[in-house]
Amino acid sequence: MEAVVTAPSLRPIVDRTAFNSVIDAWAGSKSKQNIRAIQDLMDFMRQNGSVLEPDSYSYNSILKAHSRSNHRDTLKVSRKVLKTMWEMHRSGNQLIKPSHVSYSTILYAYSRLAPADGVKDAEALFEELWKEYSRQNDPSLLPSEATYVSLITTWIRSKRMEAPSRAAYYFDHMRAKYAQTNNSRFQPSLRIYNTLIDSHKHQGDGPGAERALYRMIDDYRKGNVKAKPTTVSFNTVMTVYLKSKDKRAPAKIEKIL
């Protein structure tokens, strides 16, 4: 690798972007060696001057690799990477600054790996992102729907009794942001509506799932094309009723059908 990078005829084309492309490819791979490979590449970049020094894209890619792994210490390591990014940025490194992508990627890891009591840490991370956005008024720190979906999913997978109410709280929080800003990134889509429906599944809450479905349908009929229901949306609600002890289940399932 070193011979290629230092060859005079290739210097103009082997830049940070080229390295980041390789890093991102490793981050998206299923190789068990992807994190080690990314770390080696970033070490090489650091050793070869400011032209190749890793930037936010590089660090977000390694966060992506961590978020897809099943390592026992994934959450701890991801938070450490985020802390390092902030420390380097605040020390004057303008190439490295966390963004909503950094936070959303870590929250995705929480949605996959967090223990039941990990939801509080996930909420703290979500609140930290909003705090940094409010403090800096930086659009790159503005949360996205993916941020909300991952946090809600973390609650769902915790199987805690309060999961449906917390899911509804964050869904309404996003809806309120859309009403305040009219920013399309907060307009609920099929993805978050289906996540909201899922929040009622573990509790066997047929009426709650049904209300979420009809809320989705109403939103779509009022012009939100992103909220168009699919077969999955209807089937999930019917399955919730099917597995519940609700005596009205047969009639409810037929109505939804």
Side-chain angles (χ1 to χ4, degrees):
M1 186 191 299
E2 186 174 358
V4 174
V5 174
T6 56
S9 61
L10 294 180
R11 277 183 182 171
I13 62 171
V14 183
D15 56 9
R16 183 185 297 114
T17 300
F19 271 86
N20 279 341
S21 295
V22 179
I23 287 173
D24 193 46
W26 272 113
S29 77
K30 295 181 179 180
S31 170
K32 294 181 179 180
Q33 304 301 318
N34 62 346
I35 294 174
R36 180 71 263 171
I38 293 172
Q39 290 172 334
D40 289 344
L41 283 164
M42 290 177 68
D43 285 344
F44 183 88
M45 293 167 75
R46 293 186 190 98
Q47 294 164 10
N48 280 272
S50 59
V51 175
L52 293 180
E53 186 179 355
D55 59 6
S56 296
Y57 192 96
S58 317
Y59 279 87
N60 284 339
S61 291
I62 198 165
L63 283 173
K64 177 181 175 181
H66 280 296
S67 74
R68 296 183 175 194
S69 75
N70 293 314
H71 295 169
R72 183 175 56 185
D73 59 350
T74 288
L75 301 180
K76 180 180 179 180
V77 172
S78 295
R79 294 293 292 263
K80 185 176 180 180
V81 171
L82 180 66
K83 182 180 179 181
T84 298
M85 292 175 73
W86 275 121
E87 287 175 348
M88 293 177 71
H89 174 70
R90 288 164 179 160
S91 294
N93 189 334
Q94 298 304 309
L95 289 172
I96 300 172
K97 181 181 182 180
S99 67
H100 72 91
V101 174
S102 316
Y103 283 84
S104 296
T105 304
I106 298 174
L107 283 169
Y108 173 70
Y110 270 87
S111 75
R112 294 183 58 247
L113 303 170
D117 59 357
V119 290
K120 295 302 181 183
D121 288 337
E123 285 188 326
L125 196 64
F126 176 84
E127 291 167 5
E128 180 184 314
L129 174 58
W130 269 110
K131 181 180 178 181
E132 289 295 341
Y133 167 72
S134 299
R135 187 174 67 84
Q136 302 183 44
N137 194 28
D138 182 348
S140 74
L141 288 165
L142 188 64
S144 66
E145 185 182 61
T147 318
Y148 284 88
V149 168
S150 290
L151 181 55
I152 291 172
T153 303
T154 304
W155 267 108
I156 294 170
R157 291 183 176 169
S158 76
K159 298 185 180 180
R160 294 171 62 155
M161 290 299 297
E162 65 268 40
S165 63
R166 297 306 291 166
Y169 170 82
Y170 286 111
F171 178 85
D172 289 341
H173 186 277
M174 194 178 95
R175 286 292 301 265
K177 291 299 178 183
Y178 178 61
Q180 292 169 8
T181 66
N182 201 35
N183 189 323
S184 61
R185 74 191 299 149
F186 296 123
Q187 187 176 33
S189 73
L190 168 69
R191 181 184 181 190
I192 197 165
Y193 271 110
N194 280 348
T195 305
L196 186 64
I197 291 171
D198 279 341
S199 71
H200 298 279
K201 187 163 60 176
H202 291 298
Q203 309 291 342
D205 180 13
E210 185 179 10
R211 285 193 297 272
L213 173 65
Y214 288 136
R215 188 175 184 181
M216 180 183 188
I217 293 170
D218 183 60
D219 195 7
Y220 171 65
R221 287 176 174 168
K222 288 181 178 178
N224 181 5
V225 295
K226 292 165 62 177
K228 184 177 181 180
T230 65
T231 306
V232 172
S233 312
F234 289 88
N235 284 350
T236 302
V237 179
M238 288 191 281
T239 299
V240 176
Y241 269 119
L242 181 64
K243 294 183 177 181
S244 73
K245 297 179 181 180
D246 195 323
K247 294 180 179 179
R248 303 169 299 166
K252 287 285 188 179
I253 292 171
E254 186 172 0
K255 177 185 175 184
I256 293 166
L257 178 63

